[in-house]
Amino acid sequence: MTKAVKEHLIKSLASGTFVSGQLLGEDLGISRTAVAKHIKVLTEIGLDIYSVTGKGYKLAHPLHLLEKDKIISLLALETNKQTMKQNDLPLIEVHSLIDSTNDYLMRRLPNQVTSGQVCLAEYQSAGRGRRGRQWISPFGSQIYLSMYWYLEQGLSAAMGLSLVTALAVSDAVKAHSNVQVQLKWPNDIYLDGVKLAGILIDLEGQALEPSHCVIGIGLNLHMPVEAGKLIEQKWTDLQSHSKVKIDRNGLSAQLIGCLRQRLQQHQQVGLAPMLEEWHAHDAFLNKRVKLITGERITHGICRGVNNQGALLLEVDGQVKPVYGGEVSLRMDE
């Protein structure tokens, strides 16, 4: 399926009204049978399209595509409010189809990226979650965003970055929709006790030498029914909880702005000044939890996080820090 055919079909259907298969075929110079095959490919990447004999094809919901120029202008507006310079704006790329926004930026290290550079995509064919899991990435209904951040002081400066990022997501969601999320150590954002978004951080470099970091955010906005069936854990999406209509371009601009602010704050003063905010929205604070490391399960009480981003886990009256890695934290039912 050529990119031109795909983009023409998507733009033709984006308004959410019926479009005749014959008309689409005439526009593209292909048969109605070929149109039907291309539509099938679009449904496989998460577009909820149905057909009615005599009427044609229709999206279940109108599609509001990401627009680079709109995101940049919204970000510039917000930047001016904060009296930052216009030339402080990051480089932003928006892709229709990509394997993974994180992988895209990682492939460009070290010389083809600038600190704060952003990659957004409508669809990921190989989106990644933590611990090698697939991140279900249906087309045009969520936010898949990655940002490159230069770590001048080496990989040691990456400690706590997942918490900083989670706070940035909380800031952006609150500002855009007036919905308050909960934060779950080390990489998740919850809403009413169910996963709303995830964070994936890729690092490259040495402990004490200038290094590279790519921060990925996957945020569920309006999950298509069929795509939702593919997710193995409980999930929710923001539109289900928001009284305002979610604007993907507006929220993307908010995320970029809030993430840059939090990363700059972390670079200057570290994690310690943000701990109070984290604990105010910690989903598991002072609750019984279980920490899963491979086959091993440790039961305890979550006592928050420390200024290095470690989980504080109380076991038998002793509080010990647990650093990230191949671990999973869950409520102890």
Side-chain angles (χ1 to χ4, degrees), residues 161-230:
L161 276 187
S162 63
L163 278 66
V164 173
T165 304
L167 282 165
V169 174
S170 174
D171 296 339
V173 169
K174 181 71 174 175
H176 187 78
S177 65
N178 201 32
V179 171
Q180 181 57 61
V181 299
Q182 295 90 46
L183 311 175
K184 174 183 169 279
W185 183 92
N187 291 74
D188 293 333
I189 291 92
Y190 273 33
L191 200 42
D192 288 351
V194 182
K195 186 165 178 172
L196 172 75
I199 295 160
L200 178 70
I201 295 183
D202 287 317
L203 300 167
E204 187 173 290
Q206 303 296 321
L208 299 173
E209 295 176 11
S211 299
H212 310 284
C213 169
V214 173
I215 298 164
I217 298 168
L219 175 57
N220 298 333
L221 299 187
H222 196 128
M223 182 72 74
V225 175
E226 290 307 309
K229 292 176 183 174
L230 301 173

Side-chain angles (χ1 to χ4, degrees), residues 101 119-124 135-138 142-145 217:
T101 54
C119 174
L120 284 151
E122 297 285 7
Y123 171 80
Q124 297 183 114
W135 187 269
I136 303 298
S137 306
Q142 327 281 41
I143 289 178
Y144 318 116
L145 180 155
I217 298 168

Side-chain angles (χ1 to χ4, degrees), residues 247-258:
D247 172 5
R248 292 170 71 227
N249 289 299
L251 183 50
S252 295
Q254 286 276 8
L255 273 171
I256 294 165
C258 291

Side-chain angles (χ1 to χ4, degrees), residues 308-322:
Q308 293 181 309
L311 171 75
L312 296 175
L313 186 67
E314 181 182 325
V315 180
D316 299 329
Q318 297 283 315
V319 178
K320 293 183 179 177
V322 177

Side-chain angles (χ1 to χ4, degrees), residues 93-141:
E93 296 181 46
V94 175
H95 297 258
S96 290
L97 282 173
I98 208 168
D99 55 349
S100 151
T101 54
N102 263 38
D103 289 350
Y104 176 84
L105 291 177
M106 289 294 286
R107 284 194 295 271
R108 273 145 187 78
L109 297 179
N111 301 319
Q112 296 176 52
V113 285
T114 56
S115 196
Q117 184 169 332
V118 173
C119 174
L120 284 151
E122 297 285 7
Y123 171 80
Q124 297 183 114
S125 59
R128 292 183 291 120
R130 279 184 72 231
R131 296 152 70 201
R133 292 193 182 118
Q134 181 188 10
W135 187 269
I136 303 298
S137 306
F139 188 100
S141 52

Side-chain angles (χ1 to χ4, degrees), residues 1 6 10 13 38-50 58-65 96-97 122-125 134-142 144 222-231 248:
M1 186 177 188
K6 168 186 67 74
I10 289 166
L13 292 165
H38 289 314
I39 293 288
K40 185 173 184 292
V41 173
L42 291 179
T43 63
E44 287 167 358
I45 65 171
L47 284 169
D48 201 354
I49 303 168
Y50 61 93
K58 183 180 185 298
L59 277 166
H61 304 281
L63 206 55
H64 302 286
L65 298 173
S96 290
L97 282 173
E122 297 285 7
Y123 171 80
Q124 297 183 114
S125 59
Q134 181 188 10
W135 187 269
I136 303 298
S137 306
F139 188 100
S141 52
Q142 327 281 41
Y144 318 116
H222 196 128
M223 182 72 74
V225 175
E226 290 307 309
K229 292 176 183 174
L230 301 173
I231 301 174
R248 292 170 71 227

